[in-house]
Amino acid sequence: MRMILLAAVAAATMATPALATGKLKCSATAEQRKPIEDLKAELVRQGWTVAKAKLDGGCYEVYGVMPETGRVEAYFDPISFEKLYVEQRGKVLFKKG
């Protein structure tokens, strides 16, 4: 019984990438972060439609529509605006290495 429970917990942990995003941390200080409005403007220039953007775990979290894939949730480094993680309906589309 205990092995089944441990296996179930392990499987649930691996099968839920959305929970993993809560563990995504960026260590930039408030002084180091570029304005979130600059990120939104850059994404719009790239063809995105940005529905919502906020600070989450020190990273910028964006909900929007990418031109090539549709609606996504994405995380960006607040200093460089480097894409760190992109998810669509529970499926990981991109995760930085």
Side-chain angles (χ1 to χ4, degrees):
M1 178 70 172
R2 185 174 181 187
M3 287 301 274
I4 293 171
L5 180 60
L6 290 174
V9 169
T13 303
M14 293 176 359
T16 54
L19 293 178
T21 63
K23 296 178 184 173
L24 188 63
K25 300 290 182 201
C26 296
S27 59
T29 65
E31 295 79 29
Q32 294 172 313
R33 288 192 299 257
K34 292 181 186 176
I36 199 166
E37 294 301 321
D38 292 355
L39 173 61
K40 290 164 63 176
E42 177 62 30
L43 293 174
V44 167
R45 278 193 290 280
Q46 294 175 17
W48 284 55
T49 301
V50 177
K52 181 179 180 180
K54 65 179 185 169
L55 187 64
D56 181 34
C59 303
Y60 286 146
E61 178 183 25
V62 176
Y63 294 92
V65 180
M66 290 176 60
E68 59 275 352
T69 60
R71 192 177 303 189
V72 296
E73 173 184 359
Y75 286 78
F76 296 87
D77 182 280
I79 298 172
S80 64
F81 294 158
E82 179 181 18
K83 185 174 16 178
L84 303 174
Y85 182 88
V86 180
E87 174 183 292
Q88 182 180 50
R89 296 182 184 221
K91 179 181 176 188
V92 176
L93 302 179
F94 174 84
K95 185 173 184 181
K96 183 182 173 205

